[in-house]
Amino acid sequence: MSTSDVTPQGVQGERPGREAVTGSAAVLDGDRHRAPEHARSSGTQEVSETEFRSYYGQPILNQIVWEGRDIAGYLFLGGLAGASSGLAAGAELTGRPDLARPLKYTALGAVSGSLVALVHDLGRPARFLNMLRVFRPTSPMNMGSWLLAGYGPMAGAAAVTGATGLFPRIGRAATVGAGVVGPAVAAYTAPLICDTAVPAWHEGYREMPFVFVGSAAAASGGMGMLTAPLGQAAPARRAAVFGSALETAAVARMERRLGMVAEPYQSGRGGALMRTAKALTLAGAAGALLSGRSRVLSAASGAALLAGSACTRFGIFKAGVQSAADPKYTVVPQRQRLREKNGEQEEEGAN
């Protein structure tokens, strides 16, 4: 409890180290820092570049309470489902039934698992249904709910008709329909997480859709390599190589552009998962290039790509958790934007 008083002569009765500090006590690597120096210049408030504070050293953002197995699993399975449907549709239209069939089963199983994870996170199924009461294009969550509601039945019809052989025309229409909607299902979770205040997610909004699409393509290609005979797996190998290259390039660009905010992608558990993902993805892509005549190598490479995609989603989730827990990832980018804005205003004033 504070016992100091604010008087016309200033603060009286302070107890150094025991008083609540207005504005906060910064915590960076476990050390407390002095209060940032504030100065007023040209009618705007300038702040220190390296020091910042949060109230009582507490995180500025509400902490992420989602379970990794629910949300990261939802991200991975949704991507795998959507991309598998796209690849299955291509295989169906080009006469590769032994590639299309397992991918249809994969899409149905993955989207079912994705919905289970989402509903488990929401607490009860009625909350998912409540999101369908409105149609709001500006809400990634609402659009995602509608995408899943439309995509799920088509993926189910494609898988069931493929397994039973019944209603082939309906099955082909459902396969093509799921293949058309699939890329959106694979990608929409990127804007979903970027439309939050979590620094590692929000600041990566430019590259995150490419990371998710690339990861989904690599996973579906890996599943095709794992399940289809070599003679029909060529499109899966191409999808795996393309997705791996896209994901790797997008992650590298995102980390380079984010600077300090990219630290959670490079350190801690998030960093470990992202490094594992990169190693598995590159190994799987190399295997995809070399496995044209080896069923064993094709299956092993496909498994590596699937594991790499899963590690990417869990790594991104963990990096978000780490960034939300440390105030510097919120404060430093805000100050950078403030400096840039002030610089632009001063430049306009000078002109």
Side-chain angles (χ1 to χ4, degrees):
M1 176 182 297
S2 173
T3 58
S4 61
D5 296 318
V6 179
T7 69
Q9 290 73 37
V11 179
Q12 304 294 327
E14 286 184 291
R15 295 189 300 169
R18 299 295 302 274
E19 297 294 329
V21 181
T22 303
S24 84
V27 174
L28 175 59
D29 295 332
D31 296 330
R32 286 176 177 261
H33 296 259
R34 292 185 304 117
E37 296 180 1
H38 296 266
R40 293 187 178 278
S41 175
S42 303
T44 60
Q45 190 177 60
E46 301 248 346
V47 291
S48 166
E49 291 188 6
T50 58
E51 295 183 353
F52 55 87
R53 294 184 166 208
S54 63
Y55 193 69
Y56 279 102
Q58 296 299 310
I60 294 175
L61 301 177
N62 289 332
Q63 297 305 284
I64 296 174
V65 296
W66 300 327
E67 292 288 339
R69 63 184 178 185
D70 289 338
I71 299 305
Y74 162 68
L75 300 178
F76 167 66
L77 292 173
L80 175 61
S84 293
S85 287
L87 192 54
E92 176 101 358
L93 295 175
T94 55
R96 295 181 172 88
D98 292 336
L99 173 61
R101 196 178 306 107
L103 289 174
K104 294 177 188 178
Y105 304 155
T106 298
L108 176 58
V111 74
S112 300
S114 177
L115 280 172
V116 169
L118 178 60
V119 169
H120 186 262
D121 176 73
L122 293 173
R124 56 178 185 269
R127 289 178 175 168
F128 174 76
L129 298 176
N130 284 340
M131 288 189 283
L132 301 177
R133 294 183 305 170
V134 297
F135 187 82
R136 186 174 300 168
T138 57
S139 168
M141 181 55 116
N142 183 250
M143 289 294 95
S145 301
W146 280 108
L147 278 173
L148 289 175
Y151 166 80
M154 288 192 289
V160 171
T161 55
T164 63
L166 299 174
F167 310 111
R169 291 184 179 180
I170 294 176
R172 171 161 285 203
T175 300
V176 173
V180 170
V181 180
V185 173
Y188 89 90
T189 46
L192 179 65
I193 66 168
C194 291
D195 192 29
T196 65
V198 177
W201 298 345
H202 179 78
E203 299 293 332
Y205 70 95
R206 292 180 182 173
E207 296 84 6
M208 199 67 80
F210 298 100
V211 175
F212 274 41
V213 169
S215 176
S220 66
M223 180 59 76
M225 293 167 59
L226 187 63
T227 57
L230 288 177
Q232 296 193 9
R237 292 194 290 271
R238 288 194 288 271
V241 173
F242 167 76
S244 300
L246 179 61
E247 176 190 341
T248 303
V251 170
R253 189 181 188 282
M254 181 173 69
E255 291 181 351
R256 185 170 59 252
R257 186 179 65 80
L258 295 188
M260 180 272 293
V261 181
E263 289 177 359
Y265 291 112
Q266 300 162 340
S267 61
R269 193 170 180 187
L273 284 166
M274 293 300 288
R275 289 192 294 274
T276 303
K278 184 177 181 180
L280 288 170
T281 300
L282 292 178
L289 291 171
L290 301 173
S291 64
R293 296 182 179 179
S294 172
R295 186 71 186 85
V296 174
L297 180 58
S298 178
S301 301
L305 289 165
L306 280 166
S309 178
C311 286
T312 296
R313 307 309 176 102
F314 278 82
I316 290 172
F317 177 81
K318 290 296 182 183
V321 173
Q322 292 171 213
S323 70
D326 194 329
K328 72 176 180 180
Y329 298 121
T330 302
V331 174
V332 173
Q334 288 178 343
R335 291 182 173 178
Q336 177 65 28
R337 287 191 289 269
L338 179 62
R339 284 195 297 272
E340 293 174 354
K341 182 179 179 181
N342 291 340
E344 292 174 358
Q345 290 176 343
E346 291 175 359
E347 186 175 346
E348 291 176 358
N351 294 333

